[in-house]
Amino acid sequence: MFSKKTAEQIQLETRPSGNGATAFYNNPKYRGWIYQSILFVFIIGFFYSIISNTLDNMSAQGIKSGFSFLKTSAGFDVLMSLIPFETTDSYLRIFMIGILNTILVSIIGIIFSTILGFIFGIAYFSRNWLIKQIAIVYVEIFRNIPVILQVIFWYTVFNALPIARESLNLGDAIFLNVTGLYFPLLVGESGSGVVYGAIIAAIIAVFIVKRWAKKRQELTGEQFPVLWSSLGILVGLPLLALLVTGIPFHFDYPALRGFNFQGGVSVIPEFLSLAIALSVYTGAFIAEAVRAGIQSVPKGQTEAARSIGLKESKIMSLIIVPQSMRVITPMLNSEYQSLVKNTTIATAIGYPELFTIFAGSALNQVGQAIEIMFMTLAIYFAINMVISLVMNHFNKRTELSTR
Amino acid sequence: MKIKNVVMTLAAAGLVFSAQTSIAGTTLDAVKKKGVLSCGVSTGLAGFSQKDEKGQWSGLDVDVCRGVAAAVLGDASKVQYKPLTAKERFTALQSGEIDILSRNTTWTHTRDTSLGLNFAGVIYYDGAGFMVSKKLGVKSATELNGANACIQAGTSTELAISDYFRENNMKYKAITFDTSDQTRAGFESGRCDFLVSDQSQLYALRIGLKDPDGAIVLPEVISKEPLGPVVRQNDDEWFNVVKWVVNASIEGEYQGVTSSNAEEMKTKGNPGQKRLLGTEGDLGEKLGLPADWAFQVIKQVGNYAESFERNVGQGSPLKIARGLNAQWNKGGILYSPAMR
Amino acid sequence: MSVREFKPLPAQPAPDATTGPIAWVRDNLFSSPFNIAATVIILASLAAVVPGMVDWLFISANWSGTSQDACVKDGACWVFISAWSQQIFYGSYPTEEIWRVNLSLCLLAGVIALSFLLPDRLRNKVAVPAFLLLPFICILLLDGTMLGLTPVTTDLWGGFSLNVLLAAASIIVAFPFGFLWALGRRSEMPFARSVSVTCIEFFRGTPILALFFMGSVMLPLFFPADVTVDKLLRVWIILILFMSAYMAEVFRSGFQAIPSGQYEAADSIGLGYWQKTLLIIFPQVIKVSMPNILATFVMVFKNTVFLLVIAVPEMLQVIMSALSNSNWLGGHAIEGYLFVGFIFWACCFSMSLLATTIEKKLDTGHKN
């Protein structure tokens, strides 16, 4: 009459040990605790020995510790800084300059690598054979060469430009020479505040129009030409403000004075080469991701879109790319993070980002490796954390809601 | 059984790396025991430490290593060269990875007092100077206000030029490069208007230019850069050995002992030469070295003049004049303490 | 009235305009105004750039000679590369002992070939131990002391062979570590999980240059005062840890690709945790992760170039130090960089081709 047996009885009978209990070391729960305690002891011992060795070594070698060096004067010049800097300023200021320069080149790199990546990723599907080949060649060349070589290459290219007195000249306004790229700076006079206000108002208006148009489409199905009307607002409103206030702007043109160009905005070749190298290198990886993303969209989607009569260009932008973003976004996240980490190759060409001037020049003058490396790494972690947060937020929006 | 093999292989591989771990006792004993001197040098600096196509090292800095190896081990070739970047050079010495650092290192007060290191003499009196393009028409460094400067990163020059420009109320923009070759390329392309570097390097950089005559070295020398070998502090025995090997090669020149006539001088020389070469007196014994220590240095590496001319002087592509680095009685400031 | 029999007309050849090279050109190069413009621009810029490059690279290049004086023509000075070739490929390794480097490289190639050619049932039993032993055998061989050969100290190792062997040795040793970290990350033990996550995130979040830098400047401080650890060993440790973090992530996505039915089936036949993991899950994870493992290898291989910032004589560092030799001060940087770039490109490109091939071969239709 085995049908009468309860599940509990069966369990009891199938247990191997006589008294119905396993030995405690065979219990996964206890075993887990044993493993973890061993790991814990090991890690504590590991860190204890590292820290005590380090302290011993530091005292034996007379290496200073602490963060007081941040207040002392650096005494060396920095090539490019977004905040005012004198050679008498402190190491803390060097640290800040490094962070800002890292962030600047990262942002520029992220923007341009994304643009390049999407252009070449989509170009892979071009009907023009040559364009497709170029997309393939671009990806295969640039992702397979160490990025440090690429940055050196671009720097060599910039070094081949003419010297300051023989600059490439575009309308006496934009100059390109071996010391960098110079273009005029727009300087606001009194009354320019009205124009700035108009620009902000235009941006707000565009958002309102966009929301209203979306609502209207949901309700009535009618589309509203958002792009053209937004452009109209964005151009028209500031233009109106300009005319009303009588154009309160003038250009500050760069001009050759003494050894170099003065005035205007200048971009140094170190920055340009690093930004180009990072954009091109990361762009190749993003192009690969975009290609994979587009290929992941089922073919039926394209066919369905054609069957409802969408134009080929609209199919890409309205149907394929939005769906492929689900695959692309997580990859973009890791590519952006590796771009930020790769900014450290600036050390090969001397662009003064965090790793080069703080973990490089400053460390060399101060010699406090532990503190400086700790601060440097913390910044890279922080930047990557921000990227991760933003991209995860973006990812949530593109994820399939059924998941 | 397979696991046993794995463990054996692992253990053997571990031994390979750990074989050279102990630096207990004095450096001199350790070097004698190892039978080889490990010497920290630059990754590549024309005339001071450079590797050729065959992997052979040569240069003024390298000759210090070879001299010490000759004095201690009797064989100038028993040197293990460890190329180091500017950033890691002191750590490598402090941690015992190298026995002596001979890497165009400027003797400064801070380094001598706060790094747990000792400078064992000066083998080259250098100073930072300027190179400009002839086309610029600049005759003096004081005309360089507002110019761009090419500098090699992580050198004491970086600080010297900042001081100099501040002192003269001038502005400059520093463009730093990682290697001297990049610095030269930057100067040649016009990225910067002038190049600042140790004078010894200026000459090397200048002959690397496509048109060496198109560039001139300005008369100003803006800093003192005495370069010399460095050892760990609190090891006086080893400190003495390195210090006196440097002095022996300077004294060799002063006494007129060269690698070709050292053998002869050993028996036929005057008392000073004999004392230096170990046939008289007990200079070697007092250092804990064989009696013929200085003889080996001069025989195998040459005296200071030979070493200088071979590496940076007229016998080399650099063609640097002796200048400050001549003997004290010939217009320079090289002066070895008395060998007695 | 008879029904007319249906007789198909004989098939006509396709219109001239749809086949043949002209049609291909029209379809693929000039299909729309935009494409016409694009084609013209691309062809024009190729025509402007390529001839000059070919001339500089090959036609007016200097090919033979042993010193800088041999470079008299306007083109590239390949003499620089050929004169330094031994340094570039083998570093300062003694000439008469170079067979040991070559043997190590052959062993590496042999083990890789073995793992692809062996029949399935032998593969895991032979290839896995062979892989795991390989780095240590290579070290013994290159060092030579234990095998009774002439000892060659690590400061003489260098050149391109160092890039290859270092990358291979790192990824092989990183395999077990990465697998353990990936297991730890999936583990239900909270402490083990957080340790694994910390390790993985630390080494993935840190720029490799900073890690190398720590290996050269900070690691010596971590060891007891009377112990010095060989620089190459420190670099190797750093690379292993770095790779382990990336491999752990590769394995993690591998784990996610294994259907949960596999775990349940393994549980149901009464396998323990390690049996389940090593016998059922591991082989499948390796299989699905293979293309990613290769991609990770390509990454670390490219990253070995960064070692030049801490003066490890890898390929690019050899070029850099050759550029500062007083007999070669003419500035052959471009030739050097191009050469290094080409070698790396050739290796990485063939590996990415290999990865694609494996991906296609392994695609046994388990996806959906």
Side-chain angles (χ1 to χ4, degrees):
Chain A
M1 294 273 160
F2 35 79
S3 59
K4 288 278 165 77
K5 276 186 183 172
T6 61
E8 207 173 322
Q9 279 171 319
I10 293 171
Q11 217 179 8
L12 273 177
E13 278 168 23
T14 49
R15 271 197 181 152
S17 49
N19 56 5
T22 49
F24 80 95
Y25 52 81
N26 274 336
N27 184 325
K29 196 173 148 197
Y30 291 121
R31 205 194 283 194
W33 282 111
I34 294 170
Y35 283 149
Q36 296 199 66
S37 344
I38 295 173
L39 184 65
F40 183 73
V41 170
F42 173 75
I43 285 179
I44 292 291
F46 179 73
F47 278 104
Y48 175 76
S49 78
I50 280 189
I51 292 170
S52 66
N53 283 340
T54 309
L55 291 180
D56 286 354
N57 287 331
M58 281 170 66
S59 69
Q61 297 167 8
I63 300 175
K64 282 187 294 179
S65 60
F67 290 93
S68 57
F69 73 93
L70 284 174
K71 291 196 199 78
T72 52
S73 161
F76 56 87
D77 185 47
V78 174
L79 179 55
M80 174 187 144
S81 70
L82 298 175
I83 47 179
F85 176 76
E86 293 288 325
T87 52
T88 42
D89 281 338
S90 67
Y91 282 110
L92 186 64
R93 198 141 184 110
I94 295 268
F95 182 57
M96 304 302 297
I97 290 172
I99 295 174
L100 289 175
N101 284 346
T102 296
I103 292 177
L104 179 70
V105 79
S106 300
I107 291 176
I108 299 286
I110 283 174
I111 293 173
F112 283 96
S113 65
T114 312
I115 294 174
L116 277 179
F118 272 82
I119 288 178
F120 283 100
I122 293 172
Y124 180 82
F125 298 92
S126 164
R127 284 190 61 196
N128 186 323
W129 182 83
L130 263 179
I131 293 183
K132 179 174 174 164
Q133 295 313 306
I134 282 185
I136 294 175
V137 167
Y138 164 73
V139 169
E140 293 303 346
I141 285 190
F142 287 104
R143 71 172 184 167
N144 284 325
I145 294 178
V147 61
I148 197 162
L149 266 174
Q150 295 192 29
V151 77
I152 293 173
F153 167 78
W154 290 112
Y155 195 53
T156 317
V157 170
F158 277 101
N159 265 346
L161 289 171
I163 60 169
R165 267 165 298 158
E166 296 155 15
S167 306
L168 303 176
N169 183 338
L170 191 74
D172 270 341
I174 300 175
F175 298 90
L176 181 66
N177 62 42
V178 68
T179 64
L181 174 69
Y182 299 85
F183 49 86
L185 176 70
L186 198 63
V187 185
E189 294 154 8
S190 65
S192 59
V194 180
V195 182
Y196 294 134
I199 292 173
I200 293 168
I203 290 171
I204 294 170
V206 165
F207 271 102
I208 293 171
V209 167
K210 208 176 149 193
R211 277 191 106 163
W212 169 81
K214 201 177 168 195
K215 222 171 206 167
R216 196 175 81 135
Q217 193 179 356
E218 276 166 8
L219 286 175
T220 64
E222 282 174 65
Q223 284 193 340
F224 184 78
V226 179
L227 184 68
W228 293 115
S229 55
S230 315
L231 274 180
I233 296 171
L234 275 180
V235 175
L237 214 54
L239 204 65
L240 193 72
L242 266 182
L243 293 177
V244 168
T245 51
I247 316 187
F249 288 97
H250 72 270
F251 281 108
D252 178 17
Y253 290 101
L256 188 60
R257 252 167 269 151
F259 288 99
N260 275 305
F261 280 89
Q262 314 280 332
V265 185
S266 65
V267 189
I268 54 172
E270 286 77 14
F271 177 82
L272 288 173
S273 355
L274 183 64
I276 292 177
L278 287 175
S279 310
V280 168
Y281 180 74
T282 314
F285 284 91
I286 294 180
E288 233 354 57
V290 169
R291 184 169 73 94
I294 291 178
Q295 277 172 340
S296 75
V297 178
K299 213 161 181 261
Q301 295 287 330
T302 321
E303 288 159 1
R306 284 202 187 120
S307 72
I308 59 169
L310 278 178
K311 279 191 286 182
E312 288 291 324
S313 58
K314 288 257 169 179
I315 294 178
M316 221 13 145
S317 61
L318 290 179
I319 309 291
I320 308 293
V321 172
Q323 294 195 69
S324 64
M325 284 314 286
R326 224 172 282 143
V327 174
I328 297 173
T329 316
M331 295 203 229
L332 283 184
N333 186 3
S334 66
E335 290 311 331
Y336 290 165
Q337 295 195 20
S338 67
L339 185 143
V340 172
K341 286 188 284 170
N342 278 338
T343 55
T344 50
I345 58 167
T347 191
I349 56 165
Y351 170 71
E353 47 73 67
L354 183 61
F355 189 74
T356 308
I357 56 163
F358 194 62
S361 300
L363 173 54
N364 200 22
Q365 307 290 0
V366 179
Q368 287 178 250
I370 308 247
E371 292 86 349
I372 288 184
M373 288 311 285
F374 175 77
M375 291 170 71
T376 310
L377 293 187
I379 296 300
Y380 285 106
F381 277 115
I383 297 177
N384 277 341
M385 195 86 83
V386 171
I387 291 179
S388 220
L389 283 177
V390 172
M391 294 306 286
N392 282 339
H393 172 76
F394 194 59
N395 198 20
K396 285 231 173 65
R397 285 179 49 187
T398 59
E399 248 173 6
L400 269 185
S401 45
T402 52
R403 266 196 183 168
Chain B
M1 198 164 110
K2 197 181 275 168
I3 291 181
K4 206 173 156 192
N5 286 342
V6 176
V7 173
M8 292 284 282
T9 321
L10 289 181
L15 274 176
V16 168
F17 284 123
S18 58
Q20 31 179 316
T21 52
S22 183
I23 53 158
T26 66
T27 315
L28 182 59
D29 292 340
V31 170
K32 279 181 179 162
K33 213 170 123 205
K34 280 191 299 184
V36 63
L37 172 82
S38 66
C39 189
V41 294
S42 157
T43 51
L45 191 67
F48 282 79
S49 52
Q50 57 183 22
K51 206 158 55 157
D52 67 9
E53 298 95 314
K54 309 245 158 26
Q56 297 300 316
W57 286 88
S58 64
L60 209 53
D61 279 339
V62 165
D63 277 351
V64 174
C65 309
R66 297 180 60 220
V68 174
V72 177
L73 304 167
D75 184 351
S77 66
K78 289 196 169 152
V79 185
Q80 221 175 45
Y81 296 100
K82 304 257 167 107
L84 300 167
T85 61
K87 287 162 197 163
E88 59 187 354
R89 54 184 160 181
F90 298 122
T91 317
L93 185 62
Q94 286 159 341
S95 69
E97 194 184 340
I98 52 174
D99 302 314
I100 162 175
L101 176 72
S102 182
R103 192 203 175 283
N104 64 311
T105 304
T106 305
W107 186 349
T108 68
H109 180 277
T110 315
R111 285 171 177 170
D112 204 356
T113 52
S114 68
L115 292 171
L117 305 173
N118 274 338
F119 281 79
V122 177
I123 61 154
Y124 191 96
Y125 289 96
D126 215 339
F130 302 91
M131 176 161 76
V132 295
S133 166
K134 246 185 201 160
K135 275 185 278 176
L136 231 47
V138 171
K139 291 275 173 293
S140 152
T142 49
E143 301 166 37
L144 288 171
N145 193 10
N148 287 343
C150 279
I151 311 175
Q152 198 179 332
T155 55
S156 40
T157 322
E158 236 178 323
L159 304 180
I161 183 183
S162 153
D163 284 351
Y164 179 80
F165 272 72
R166 202 139 35 100
E167 193 182 296
N168 290 300
N169 266 325
M170 302 195 296
K171 292 235 173 277
Y172 74 108
K173 211 71 210 151
I175 294 140
T176 51
F177 296 88
D178 226 27
T179 67
S180 59
D181 181 67
Q182 288 168 337
T183 319
R184 180 191 55 72
F187 174 73
E188 188 155 40
S189 69
R191 174 70 186 96
C192 37
D193 307 298
F194 67 102
L195 189 153
V196 199
S197 176
D198 286 357
Q199 292 247 310
S200 58
Q201 287 311 299
L202 283 183
Y203 292 99
L205 293 166
R206 186 161 164 260
I207 48 167
L209 296 174
K210 294 222 166 55
D211 173 24
D213 297 328
I216 50 168
V217 173
L218 295 179
E220 280 91 350
V221 176
I222 59 167
S223 68
K224 285 195 279 190
E225 314 271 353
L227 311 177
V230 196
V231 295
R232 278 183 291 276
Q233 221 166 341
N234 303 327
D235 188 351
D236 288 351
E237 194 184 23
W238 183 243
F239 178 54
N240 285 339
V241 167
V242 178
K243 182 166 61 185
W244 284 99
V245 165
V246 171
N247 286 334
S249 104
I250 296 172
E251 182 73 4
E253 187 196 356
Y254 179 65
Q255 301 261 15
V257 188
T258 65
S259 55
S260 46
N261 70 7
E263 200 77 56
E264 195 189 327
M265 292 284 186
K266 231 176 160 179
T267 46
K268 294 188 187 155
N270 63 34
Q273 290 163 334
K274 282 186 177 166
R275 216 167 25 243
L276 174 66
L277 295 172
T279 32
E280 270 178 24
D282 54 356
L283 297 181
E285 194 190 319
K286 282 174 187 153
L287 284 172
L289 296 177
D292 64 345
W293 63 282
F295 168 73
Q296 296 293 354
V297 174
I298 294 173
K299 178 84 193 139
Q300 297 186 34
V301 186
N303 67 28
Y304 185 85
E306 291 175 77
S307 175
F308 188 96
E309 298 301 347
R310 181 173 66 228
N311 294 306
V312 296
Q314 301 309 317
S316 77
L318 306 185
K319 309 243 184 307
I320 299 177
R322 286 293 289 270
L324 274 185
N325 297 293
Q327 291 286 334
W328 58 278
N329 53 0
K330 289 182 185 157
I333 51 173
L334 278 194
Y335 189 103
S336 161
M339 280 275 178
R340 59 172 74 245
Chain C
M1 191 171 151
S2 69
V3 178
R4 235 179 31 186
E5 200 185 337
F6 172 70
K7 260 194 203 153
L9 291 167
Q12 287 188 344
D16 283 347
T18 58
T19 58
I22 295 170
W24 183 90
V25 165
R26 194 160 59 196
D27 272 3
N28 291 294
L29 298 180
F30 301 106
S31 59
S32 69
F34 170 75
N35 278 341
I36 292 170
T39 304
V40 169
I41 291 172
I42 292 170
L43 288 179
S45 38
L46 284 181
V49 176
V50 171
M53 264 166 61
V54 170
D55 181 60
W56 187 82
L57 284 172
F58 304 108
I59 297 169
S60 36
N62 303 278
W63 294 94
S64 59
T66 49
S67 78
Q68 195 173 7
D69 305 330
C71 289
V72 282
K73 287 196 273 181
D74 283 345
C77 179
W78 298 120
V79 178
F80 173 64
I81 302 293
S82 65
W84 285 86
S85 55
Q86 187 180 333
Q87 283 285 317
I88 290 173
F89 283 101
Y90 299 106
S92 306
Y93 212 84
T95 315
E96 59 276 14
E97 304 290 334
I98 279 180
W99 62 271
R100 279 147 61 177
V101 184
N102 289 333
L103 182 60
S104 304
L105 292 170
C106 290
L107 280 177
L108 175 66
V111 171
I112 293 173
L114 203 68
S115 59
F116 282 108
L117 298 176
L118 279 179
D120 280 346
R121 97 199 121 77
L122 279 178
R123 185 178 292 156
N124 284 351
K125 285 200 186 114
V126 178
V128 171
F131 259 117
L132 292 180
L133 280 181
L134 183 70
F136 304 100
I137 292 173
C138 286
I139 289 169
L140 290 184
L141 189 63
L142 290 174
D143 180 79
T145 324
M146 299 276 161
L147 302 178
L149 300 163
T150 324
V152 179
T153 46
T154 54
D155 55 299
L156 300 177
W157 308 5
F160 185 61
S161 54
L162 185 68
N163 291 64
V164 175
L165 291 172
L166 204 55
S170 312
I171 197 160
I172 289 170
V173 181
F175 238 85
F177 279 101
F179 197 69
L180 273 183
W181 287 3
L183 282 180
R185 190 161 195 166
R186 297 169 56 82
S187 155
E188 278 153 18
M189 298 182 263
F191 183 68
R193 188 169 59 232
S194 49
V195 169
S196 304
V197 171
T198 315
C199 285
I200 294 173
E201 293 304 327
F202 177 78
F203 285 104
R204 273 170 56 90
T206 317
I208 182 79
L209 270 184
L211 282 178
F212 284 153
F213 204 66
M214 286 167 75
S216 92
V217 185
M218 278 168 76
L219 271 197
L221 290 175
F222 291 169
F223 294 107
D226 55 346
V227 175
T228 56
V229 180
D230 190 90
K231 186 167 175 182
L232 216 49
L233 177 62
R234 294 199 307 259
V235 166
W236 194 32
I237 293 174
I238 293 285
L239 269 172
I240 288 172
L241 292 172
F242 177 75
M243 288 317 295
S244 302
Y246 277 85
M247 290 301 279
E249 288 300 285
V250 167
F251 287 136
R252 182 159 80 125
S253 62
F255 277 124
Q256 281 166 350
I258 308 295
S260 55
Q262 295 287 332
Y263 294 92
E264 287 153 13
D267 284 336
S268 74
I269 58 169
L271 294 182
Y273 178 78
W274 289 107
Q275 281 175 315
K276 177 176 73 179
T277 311
L278 291 180
L279 296 177
I280 308 293
I281 309 301
F282 178 66
Q284 301 191 57
V285 168
I286 293 290
K287 196 178 132 182
V288 298
S289 310
M290 207 58 210
N292 285 338
I293 293 173
L294 263 175
T296 316
F297 179 74
V298 170
M299 183 189 74
V300 68
F301 179 56
K302 280 188 291 178
N303 279 342
T304 53
V305 178
F306 290 162
L307 285 172
L308 86 104
V309 297
I310 55 164
V312 171
E314 53 75 50
M315 197 181 189
L316 191 55
Q317 205 277 333
V318 170
I319 298 273
M320 296 273 196
S321 59
L323 289 173
S324 60
N325 187 295
S326 57
N327 293 316
W328 289 94
L329 285 173
H332 304 290
I334 306 273
E335 288 92 333
Y337 299 150
L338 274 180
F339 184 73
V340 176
F342 173 74
I343 296 282
F344 270 89
W345 176 80
C347 293
C348 296
F349 181 60
S350 38
M351 277 188 279
S352 71
L353 282 187
L354 183 66
T356 326
T357 321
I358 293 175
E359 201 164 4
K360 281 196 186 124
K361 197 175 135 200
L362 290 181
D363 191 3
T364 39
H366 279 307
K367 283 182 205 159
N368 303 322

